Structure formats: structure tokens, C-alpha cells
Amino acid sequence: MGKISDQQLAELISKRILEIIDLTGLTIESLASFVGVSTSTIRSTYRKTGSLSVDSLSKICRPFDIRLADFFDSALSLQIDEEQLPDLKDFKKSYFADQELKSPVSSFDESSSQSEYHRQQRELIANIIHRSDYFDSPKTLEAMVTDFKKDYQAAFTSERLYALLLKYLGSGILDKKALPRTARRMPASKRPYLYFKKESTKA
């Protein structure tokens, strides 16, 4: 493997911060508060306009049980098991107590910065799951892409939706099942599953 450039390293660290945000449902601000690193430091690193010290990287990785070696392995997808991280669960309950469910679903602004647009996507999915009956009936990723574009002017890819839904699958709010073989119209690489809200979590 050739030498890693500063730009490649900046891209990797920015990607890792986005992965952690997607897997945990945290914002840049709440991530900074949880790990004890300043918001400006994490934001500038995410935007690839600043760098992180080894100490700051360690502070980000440690609470999620992420090994530094795994953090820097670009071929590896990060795994965060929230059920094994009680401090994270308690933090999120207190931090988001009066925020997530009170924010209305609004139209998207595609001219926003990348971090702001990703935040809007996460909040939209949270509101749809918690405040609507959309997932009372099973939906494919393909159907979601079409519905969210039509109803909220929100442009998702199937891969982005899957990453956002992982949090709710892991917490037991959503479940998924494979489509019957005869109904599979998507390529195998698109993971042909139906996603739906578990009976016990329906309003």
C-alpha cells in the first residue's frame, strides 16, 4: 500500500465521524458533548478543514468501544452496539428528551451544507418512525426512496436509508424480513428486504 496523503486521512476521519453519527443517531453537537471534545473541533474535522489530535481521536473512539486500528482501517465498517453501551443510552435519553419528537417534519433544503443536510435526513427519518404510521405496513428501500422524494422533497439513496435505519433495527423499533423470492425485483446487492415497525412499538 502506498503512502496515505493528508487529504486521504482527512477524508477517512470525516467519513468515520459520519458513520458514528449515523450509527448512534447523535448530532455533531451531542457527539462532542458525549465524548468530551469541542464541537468546533469535531465540526472542522468533519468538514475536512481541521485535524484531530491522537488524544481527541482516542476520546471519540473509547466510549463506543472502537479500536483505533479499526477506526483507521478504511476497508472495515464500524460496528456500534448501543445495547452494550449504557452510558450512551442514558446520555441520549437526557440530551434528546425535549428535542427529537418536538421538531416538525419540514421540507428539505438541498442547498444546505453536507452536515446540515445529513442532520435533516436523520431528523426526518426519526419523525417518520416516531410520529407517523408509515412503517405500520412493510416498505422496501426502493419504495422509501420514491415516497420521501415525493412527500418531503428529500433525495435519499438506498444505501443512505439503510444506514439510517440500522439504528432503529438495532434498538428493536423496526424489524425487517426478506422479500419472497418471486417478489424480488431489486439486484441482490440492494438487499431486498421489507422494513416495518414491530407490533409492540406501534402507537
Side-chain angles (χ1 to χ4, degrees):
M1 185 176 71
K3 182 179 179 181
I4 298 176
S5 70
D6 289 345
Q7 183 59 35
Q8 286 176 309
L9 188 58
E11 293 278 357
L12 175 59
I13 295 175
S14 176
K15 174 190 171 188
R16 289 310 198 196
I17 289 175
L18 177 58
E19 277 188 82
I20 291 171
I21 286 173
D22 281 344
L23 289 170
T24 62
L26 294 170
T27 62
I28 286 179
E29 292 77 10
S30 56
L31 172 62
S33 179
F34 179 61
V35 302
V37 175
S38 73
T39 300
S40 60
T41 296
I42 291 183
R43 182 178 289 114
S44 64
T45 305
Y46 174 75
R47 292 175 176 172
K48 295 169 281 193
T49 58
S51 60
L52 284 175
S53 67
V54 174
D55 181 59
S56 293
L57 278 171
S58 181
K59 285 182 178 180
I60 291 172
C61 292
R62 191 181 305 117
F64 303 110
D65 289 339
I66 299 171
R67 296 169 58 243
L68 281 174
D70 293 341
F71 186 93
F72 287 108
D73 185 347
S74 59
L76 187 69
S77 295
L78 297 182
Q79 302 292 326
I80 297 176
D81 186 354
E82 197 165 318
E83 292 303 313
Q84 301 300 317
L85 302 172
D87 289 346
L88 174 60
K89 293 178 71 175
D90 291 344
F91 172 83
K92 287 172 65 175
K93 283 180 183 177
S94 61
Y95 191 92
F96 294 114
D98 298 317
Q99 297 181 31
E100 188 175 80
L101 300 185
K102 289 184 179 179
S103 58
V105 175
S106 58
S107 297
F108 272 44
D109 180 4
E110 294 193 43
S111 65
S112 301
S113 66
Q114 184 184 46
S115 60
E116 174 63 16
Y117 196 69
H118 283 152
R119 182 190 66 76
Q120 291 175 353
Q121 288 183 324
R122 288 192 300 275
E123 289 187 354
L124 174 62
I125 295 301
N127 276 285
I128 289 172
I129 289 173
H130 291 299
R131 303 178 67 196
S132 78
D133 60 1
Y134 180 79
F135 283 102
D136 284 1
S137 59
K139 303 290 194 303
T140 63
L141 292 174
E142 192 175 53
M144 287 180 239
V145 168
T146 300
D147 292 345
F148 298 160
K149 181 66 175 178
K150 176 184 176 183
D151 296 337
Y152 304 107
Q153 296 75 55
F156 287 91
T157 63
S158 296
E159 291 76 12
R160 175 68 175 156
L161 274 173
Y162 178 69
L164 291 173
L165 294 179
L166 277 176
K167 165 190 170 184
Y168 300 99
L169 291 167
S171 64
I173 295 174
L174 294 182
D175 203 349
K176 67 177 182 178
K177 64 180 179 181
L179 280 165
R181 185 176 298 276
T182 56
R184 293 183 177 179
R185 298 175 182 177
M186 291 181 286
S189 61
K190 294 293 185 182
R191 300 183 63 83
Y193 285 93
L194 289 168
Y195 298 82
F196 54 93
K197 190 176 289 187
K198 286 189 175 182
E199 287 294 330
S200 60
T201 63
K202 292 181 181 179

